Amino acid sequence: MSVFESTVTVNKPVAQVYAFLADMNNHRQLMPDNIEDWESTADVASFNIQNITKLSIKIEERVANTLVRIIPAEKPPFDMELKWELSEADGATQAAFTITAQLNMLMKMMASGPLQKLVDEETTNLAKLLS
């Protein structure tokens, strides 16, 4: 398993950050520019990663003010899980975003950079949006 992580502090109450992340419609604002054809509901999002693949993901688990776990809604190119873990830190929110992916050696070489960039960009965008 390959693990890609990024953590950020958001100067908002944990309930507000959780409410934002618990709705897949809001996740478009966190994505990088190479995401196209975004379609979403509160639970599911489908999109194209420019020149790479089409993905459909869904929220599998919500734990109020603590966790949003996202998994593929359709068979992806590789097994993966996306997880937002939240905790309160002095009136602000500590948000940790993790992507866990089952990558073979070739996929790991090709996808590690983009996946790490994705987790970094999503946490940075979350902090900017909710500041």
Side-chain angles (χ1 to χ4, degrees):
M1 278 296 207
S2 299
V3 179
F4 307 92
E5 297 177 285
S6 182
T7 302
V8 69
T9 300
V10 180
N11 291 320
K12 295 288 183 200
V14 71
Q16 189 174 344
V17 178
Y18 172 79
F20 181 87
L21 293 171
D23 185 344
M24 284 303 290
N25 289 311
N26 294 328
H27 285 252
R28 175 62 187 112
Q29 300 170 70
L30 302 177
M31 293 288 179
D33 294 337
N34 67 338
I35 299 299
E36 300 175 327
D37 304 324
W38 180 273
E39 292 179 25
S40 61
T41 65
D43 297 318
V44 179
S46 298
F47 53 91
N48 285 314
I49 304 171
Q50 197 174 55
N51 302 322
I52 299 176
T53 190
K54 181 172 177 58
L55 277 182
S56 183
I57 55 177
K58 65 180 179 181
I59 296 180
E60 174 72 3
E61 180 181 10
R62 291 179 178 93
V63 178
N65 302 333
T66 306
L67 174 74
V68 176
R69 193 165 67 88
I70 303 166
I71 62 168
E74 298 171 1
K75 185 69 180 144
F78 47 84
D79 289 335
M80 60 193 272
E81 176 186 81
L82 296 80
K83 189 165 51 175
W84 284 96
E85 295 175 286
L86 306 175
S87 59
E88 189 187 348
D90 299 322
T93 301
Q94 188 81 19
F97 182 46
T98 307
I99 296 177
T100 308
Q102 186 71 48
L103 302 174
N104 64 34
M105 195 56 77
L106 179 62
M107 286 295 286
K108 191 172 187 170
M109 287 171 40
M110 290 174 33
S112 287
L115 286 172
Q116 185 61 54
K117 184 178 182 226
L118 175 65
V119 295
D120 292 341
E121 196 161 335
E122 286 206 31
T123 54
T124 298
N125 289 342
L126 178 71
K128 281 183 197 168
L129 279 167
L130 298 183
S131 292

